[in-house]
Amino acid sequence: MADLQAIADALIKGDRNTVVELTQKAIDEGVGPADILEKGLIGGMNVIGARFKNNEVYVPEVLIAARAMHGGMDILEPHLKAGGIEPIGVVVIGTVKGDLHDIGKNLVGMMLQGGGLEVIDAGTDVGPDKFIEAVKNSNARVIAMSALLTTTMPQMPEIIKAVKEAGLDVMTMVGGAPVTQSYADEIGADGYAPDAASAVDKALELVKT
Ligand code: B1M
């Protein structure tokens, strides 16, 4: 019987091999990838986040936990992306300039692919120029911006402004732990989603706009 708490515990310890092994075991036993993600990987990362905030762990431990999380996500990726249908539209996704957090952005990207969208990953630390270039190269309909730091959120209105000035016919959506619907409204983003699953609904709505 798959033990999702054991996945969370291994992630908290930064034990990548055990996270990979137990994630694969859970998949083999037929546990849904969304459950493994929520109760195992994200559950463990939330504990690390709380400890980080309380200065009980520091950047090196968080990096090791993030590496373990990526190991588990690599196993889940094909299951989250499953579909193989013709893409409904193109989305350019990136973590905004000054921000290196990529776990949430990667997760949203995988789920968007699972929802039938083509995803161009612009990476982390992405400023207006790189977003604009990626849209021009891909004919994307949506720009999806992620920010995990209150200090990098102000990049979002800068990117929206630059996109408008460049005259691109593209919708913008924002997300990430400190971002809210009211912030999205304030900066004139076309959409906001609090998590990866609702990001799919929002992106699908925007590509059809
Ligand atoms: Co950072 N970090 N970190 N960190 N880190 C946070 C974000 C923090 C909240 C920790 C804390 O104090 N409790 C805090 C931010 C405080 C603030 O500004 N409010 C913080 C800080 C301060 C920092 C540094 C400044 C620390 C330092 O150096 N002193 C530094 C900044 C570096 C930089 O970016 N320039 C830093 C560094 C790091 C690491 C490199 C060590 C590592 C990142 C590794 C990596 O990503 N490859 C790291 C990590 C791992 C975290 C925590 C612990 C976990 C983040 C995470 O991956 N969560 C985080 C604390 C926390 O969140 N509990 C923290 C799991 C992920 C699945 O969730 O990314 O929220 P999340 O994504 C969710 C939703 O937000 C949403 O969907 C996802 C799935 O549901 N979502 C979207 C995300 N993007 C979306 C886009 C959308 C829609 C939804 O549409 C476009």
Side-chain angles (χ1 to χ4, degrees):
M1 179 61 190
D3 183 353
L4 301 183
Q5 184 58 46
I7 297 178
D9 291 343
L11 188 142
I12 293 162
K13 283 188 205 137
D15 181 350
R16 185 180 190 277
N17 289 345
T18 304
V19 168
V20 168
E21 197 181 298
L22 293 179
T23 302
Q24 185 62 59
K25 186 163 174 272
I27 287 284
D28 294 343
E29 288 175 7
V31 182
D35 265 355
I36 303 173
L37 187 63
E38 284 296 329
K39 296 180 189 150
L41 301 176
I42 293 183
M45 191 49 99
N46 283 343
V47 173
I48 285 287
R51 291 185 185 171
F52 189 35
K53 190 174 182 184
N54 296 330
N55 294 321
E56 290 160 16
V57 298
Y58 299 95
V59 171
E61 288 96 327
V62 181
L63 272 177
I64 293 167
R67 196 188 54 163
M69 175 119 189
H70 277 127
M73 278 164 58
D74 286 347
I75 305 283
L76 294 184
E77 186 168 8
H79 302 275
L80 292 171
K81 282 183 182 174
I85 36 174
E86 195 61 26
I88 302 161
V90 183
V91 178
V92 170
I93 192 167
T95 305
V96 299
K97 198 169 164 70
D99 201 323
L100 303 174
H101 295 86
D102 69 353
I103 295 173
K105 182 262 299 168
N106 292 348
L107 201 49
V108 171
M110 280 179 205
M111 299 285 279
L112 293 180
Q113 282 178 306
L117 293 156
E118 183 181 341
V119 176
I120 311 291
D121 187 349
T124 57
D125 193 20
V126 186
D129 292 350
K130 201 166 170 194
F131 270 116
I132 289 171
E133 193 193 329
V135 169
K136 284 183 177 163
N137 290 339
S138 63
N139 216 6
R141 183 77 189 107
V142 178
I143 289 181
M145 292 169 257
S146 179
L148 265 285
L149 299 170
T150 43
T151 49
T152 57
M153 281 165 62
Q155 280 297 318
M156 291 172 156
E158 294 297 320
I159 293 161
I160 293 172
K161 188 167 153 248
V163 165
K164 282 192 182 139
E165 281 170 6
L168 294 177
D169 180 22
V170 67
M171 309 299 279
T172 53
M173 64 181 282
V174 292
V179 181
T180 59
Q181 179 67 60
S182 65
Y183 185 70
D185 294 342
E186 184 189 319
I187 64 174
D190 299 304
Y192 159 77
D195 54 50
S198 38
V200 178
D201 297 335
K202 184 50 73 181
L204 286 172
E205 185 190 312
L206 293 179
V207 288
K208 289 172 192 154
T209 312

